[in-house]
Amino acid sequence: MQRQNLHEKRLSAPVNVTWEITHQCNLSCVHCLSAHQRAAGAPDLTLKQCRHFMDDLARIRVFQVNLGGGEPFLREDILDILDYAHQKGIVTCVSTNGTMVDEALAQRLSQMALLYIQVSLDGATRETNDRIRGKGSFDAAVSGIENLNKYHFPHLSINTVVTAKNFREIKEMYLLGKFYRAKTRLSRFRPSGSAKEVWQEYHLTKEQTRELADILSKHKDVLTGDSFFSITAADRKHLGLNMCGAAKMTCSVAPDGSVYPCAFLQEPEFFSGHILEQSLQEIWLEATVFNRIRNLRGESCQNCARFDFCHGGCPAVAFFLKKALDYPDPACICNV
């Protein structure tokens, strides 16, 4: 009964919203999550529309908005958007490739108390990172990090999507973060967006998954916010959410205002509404797709000893690999 009640609880609004603020990007990463959105060619929301959406988020008391893209700092009005969010008391986290962060921008960002910044690096070496993110991207990102350091930006993390291509550099990435006074954050590689095309070559082997679990157990200060719960040991249970937060704690908004339960489920069948046509709260409470995600039951996981650690794992991985949302996470540490 206790497990059933866990799924039946519903918040009146999301705690956190992931908002891809723009299609624009100056890189072409091989695992780009939003490449298909950019190819569709839909326009970004205007500044007026962005402010209206921020008003809505403040009204329903969303605590934090994660701004991604594309590359958020390619928007000429990004500072206006951040300022407006902060005026509303909304905490923001910008996910950036770091290449646009010059000294002037770093100085301006350092004055924003409610801002967190996450810079993407997919390797501790120029060779590894640039193979994934494009030539010159490592040096440009490191330059951005150094500029943020120069102005003592306090809330900085370096994010790495863990793949078979950079797995052996995780420890070096950790040390790199320490050097630049940044937290190390590891994101899971999932077969969504362009990653579907390189999945076989880039996804972790079973042995690497087991080794990753050991690394995370030894480094409790490494951040893992997006479904590593299914591939890590019980000793990290208290460090974050222990189940998929899609439609329960968070949701995703595309650059054109389309709403999805998760940034990794931006397929047509998961479209849930549009912020220019409905309040986000209305979509959150009434969208059929959201209620479907909330009511998922991984029946084959119910009797697993690890169920209370992960509650079935990541539905997005299950959907893309097994064509079923309620299938057990194929990368769950029990499965591997």
Side-chain angles (χ1 to χ4, degrees):
M1 183 62 68
Q2 183 176 2
R3 288 179 176 178
Q4 184 179 4
N5 289 341
L6 177 66
H7 291 274
E8 290 175 351
K9 292 179 180 178
R10 182 179 66 174
L11 298 177
S12 62
V15 174
N16 172 288
V17 172
T18 295
W19 182 7
E20 295 176 2
I21 198 78
T22 183
H23 290 98
Q24 302 175 70
C25 194
N26 56 339
L27 299 183
S28 298
C29 304
V30 298
H31 53 36
C32 179
L33 177 62
S34 56
H36 63 296
Q37 291 278 0
R38 188 160 63 249
D44 295 345
L45 296 174
T46 66
L47 177 58
K48 181 178 180 180
Q49 290 168 335
C50 289
R51 285 175 172 166
H52 180 74
F53 183 47
M54 285 293 184
D55 290 339
D56 190 36
L57 295 179
R59 181 185 63 80
I60 63 177
R61 299 185 179 180
V62 169
F63 174 74
Q64 179 173 322
V65 177
N66 297 334
L67 298 174
E71 170 48 48
F73 290 123
L74 282 174
R75 277 196 70 132
E76 294 182 356
D77 55 7
I78 186 61
L79 296 179
D80 294 321
I81 293 171
L82 291 172
D83 283 337
Y84 197 76
H86 299 157
Q87 289 169 19
K88 296 290 180 178
I90 299 173
V91 175
T92 59
C93 177
V94 175
S95 295
T96 173
N97 59 38
T99 63
M100 306 295 295
V101 185
D102 57 18
E103 285 198 36
L105 179 57
Q107 184 177 26
R108 179 74 165 82
L109 296 173
S110 69
Q111 299 165 2
M112 297 181 175
L114 295 181
L115 175 65
Y116 290 71
I117 293 181
Q118 177 178 290
V119 178
S120 296
L121 273 180
D122 283 330
T125 64
R126 184 179 296 107
E127 178 183 8
T128 300
N129 177 84
D130 289 8
R131 183 191 312 164
I132 299 170
R133 304 186 66 82
K135 186 176 180 180
S137 59
F138 181 84
D139 289 341
V142 168
S143 176
I145 292 170
E146 290 176 341
N147 286 330
L148 289 167
N149 268 197
K150 181 175 181 178
Y151 290 96
H152 308 288
F153 185 83
H155 307 304
L156 178 63
S157 62
I158 296 175
N159 182 73
T160 300
V161 177
V162 182
T163 69
K165 301 299 182 182
N166 60 25
F167 179 78
R168 292 300 165 196
E169 296 181 15
I170 291 177
K171 293 180 182 178
E172 286 74 17
M173 289 299 304
Y174 179 78
L175 295 175
L176 192 69
K178 291 290 186 183
F179 180 80
Y180 285 116
R181 302 191 298 277
K183 292 184 178 296
T184 297
R185 179 183 175 92
L186 302 181
S187 288
R188 192 171 166 190
F189 179 63
R190 282 175 277 200
S192 184
S194 294
K196 287 183 283 189
E197 300 171 14
V198 295
W199 173 256
Q200 292 302 322
E201 181 183 358
Y202 275 69
H203 81 279
L204 297 182
T205 65
K206 293 180 179 180
E207 292 73 20
Q208 288 171 333
T209 299
R210 293 191 191 99
E211 189 174 341
L212 176 59
D214 291 337
I215 292 172
L216 292 173
S217 290
K218 294 174 182 176
H219 298 286
K220 298 294 196 301
D221 56 335
V222 172
L223 304 176
T224 56
D226 62 352
S227 89
F228 269 111
F229 45 74
S230 61
I231 61 173
T232 52
D235 55 15
R236 287 184 63 93
K237 180 181 178 181
H238 67 287
L239 296 180
L241 192 65
N242 65 342
M243 63 176 168
C244 170
K248 302 181 188 76
M249 301 287 289
T250 186
C251 64
S252 176
V253 179
D256 69 344
S258 300
V259 180
Y260 300 88
C262 166
F264 296 93
L265 287 175
Q266 293 191 27
E267 302 292 315
E269 55 263 56
F270 298 110
F271 172 78
S272 302
H274 199 288
I275 64 167
L276 297 184
E277 300 171 1
Q278 296 171 277
S279 162
L280 183 64
Q281 187 172 49
E282 182 181 352
I283 297 170
W284 177 262
L285 295 175
E286 299 179 7
T288 301
V289 172
F290 276 43
N291 287 316
R292 177 187 172 195
I293 297 289
R294 290 186 189 110
N295 293 321
L296 284 177
R297 298 287 192 274
E299 298 298 339
S300 60
C301 293
Q302 296 287 319
N303 297 320
C304 176
R306 278 182 52 87
F307 182 83
D308 289 332
F309 300 148
C310 73
H311 298 92
C314 178
V317 175
F319 173 77
F320 286 113
L321 296 184
K322 301 296 182 179
K323 303 305 178 186
L325 286 171
D326 58 356
Y327 194 91
D329 191 327
C332 174
I333 197 168
C334 287
N335 291 334
V336 302

